[in-house]
Amino acid sequence: MNDFTDIQARLNYTFNAPILLRKAMTHASYVNEEGLKADESNERLEFLGDAVLEVCVSDLLYHRYPSLPEGKLTQRRAGLVCEPSLAKLARELNIGSTLLMGAGASQSGGRELDSILSDAMEALLGAIYLDGGYSAVRELIHRLMAPIVDTISAPPKDYKSVLQEILQKNTKETAVYTIVEANGPSHSKVFVAEVSHQGKVLGMGRGHSKKDAEQNAAHEALTAMKAASNTNYK
């Protein structure tokens, strides 16, 4: 069995519970081809890692830029946790070659897809959080982000952040994103996201990753808001 020694060396982190690392490196296509239980893929860890990442990056930015207002901090955070940034980190850690992936997904280039790599990166962070606690994952995230934190201000077309800034002018309630559909094979899924605020659906969007679907939902919401009130969000 692969003990994932190389990835642990690259992370400079040794797992107390190696099963968590294996799960983080297990793509859904591998689970499907091997006939394993659905919860043996990295999808639940991805969900957890997404939240952990946002908290740790927020903590990093809050202390690194004490004079930046909330909106600018939000933009910088979005630039660090977006799919391209996470995929870049995953490539630097050589996560693509480490993933347990089904033959079909691998042969179709799945190991190089930003969506798969960024999801695996989040799953890995979720696994470290469970294995070593908040301090361990915080230290790792700060170490990985340190070389790029000053070079990124915002991702291109960060519609989610723009929408949130507009909504927070009138209320402190945040937008809520829900994945309402997920269709297609595990290595080429199409997700449908819905964004709502105070119980009202503002927009829907599709994408080959959850993040893309959410960005497209925010874009639709902004487009509708601009049409209704001439809001300038560019």
Side-chain angles (χ1 to χ4, degrees):
M1 178 183 292
N2 189 341
D3 62 3
F4 301 101
T5 301
D6 290 346
I7 186 67
Q8 293 184 87
R10 293 192 292 273
L11 288 167
N12 193 26
Y13 180 85
T14 301
F15 275 78
N16 299 301
I19 188 64
L20 285 170
L21 174 56
R22 180 179 176 82
K23 181 172 287 191
M25 294 293 98
T26 301
H27 187 252
S29 61
Y30 181 85
V31 169
N32 293 338
E33 286 195 10
E34 296 296 318
L36 304 176
K37 294 180 180 178
D39 64 1
E40 293 186 52
S41 80
N42 64 8
E43 291 181 347
R44 281 172 53 84
L45 283 174
E46 173 205 336
F47 164 80
L48 178 61
D50 178 64
V52 169
L53 176 67
E54 185 158 319
V55 170
C56 291
V57 170
S58 297
D59 175 83
L60 170 63
L61 294 172
Y62 182 85
H63 290 96
R64 193 176 186 95
Y65 303 108
S67 62
L68 276 187
E70 177 188 8
K72 296 295 184 182
L73 290 172
T74 298
Q75 289 178 358
R76 283 186 176 270
R77 181 180 63 195
L80 291 169
V81 305
C82 67
E83 187 175 286
S85 294
L86 293 180
K88 184 175 184 295
L89 287 178
R91 290 188 176 94
E92 291 172 356
L93 293 167
N94 201 22
I95 284 178
S97 66
T98 308
L99 281 172
L100 296 176
M101 182 176 286
S106 182
Q107 291 167 7
S108 64
R111 295 185 187 278
E112 285 299 317
L113 289 178
D114 279 8
S115 58
I116 289 178
L117 290 175
S118 63
D119 287 350
M121 190 71 220
E122 289 178 338
L124 182 60
L125 297 175
I128 293 173
Y129 171 74
L130 292 178
D131 187 75
Y134 175 73
S135 61
V137 73
R138 177 182 179 274
E139 187 279 328
L140 176 66
I141 290 172
H142 284 209
R143 175 158 45 88
L144 292 175
M145 294 294 184
I148 62 173
V149 67
D150 292 324
T151 66
I152 296 178
S153 58
K157 299 181 180 179
D158 180 26
Y159 299 119
K160 289 179 66 174
S161 294
V162 176
L163 177 61
Q164 192 59 41
E165 288 181 21
I166 291 173
L167 294 176
Q168 287 187 330
K169 289 179 180 178
N170 300 311
T171 173
K172 283 298 181 182
E173 280 192 49
T174 60
V176 176
Y177 293 86
T178 306
I179 301 299
V180 294
E181 288 183 33
N183 304 306
S186 57
H187 62 283
S188 186
K189 279 187 178 179
V190 175
F191 297 92
V192 179
E194 178 182 275
V195 58
S196 60
H197 183 250
Q198 296 181 328
K200 179 183 177 181
V201 176
L202 303 179
M204 297 185 72
R206 296 175 179 270
H208 285 290
S209 71
K210 295 174 185 176
K211 288 184 175 62
D212 281 350
E214 291 174 353
Q215 284 285 352
N216 290 333
H219 187 199
E220 182 178 275
L222 287 165
T223 300
M225 291 167 67
K226 183 180 180 182
S229 61
N230 294 317
T231 301
N232 181 9
Y233 62 86
K234 292 183 179 179

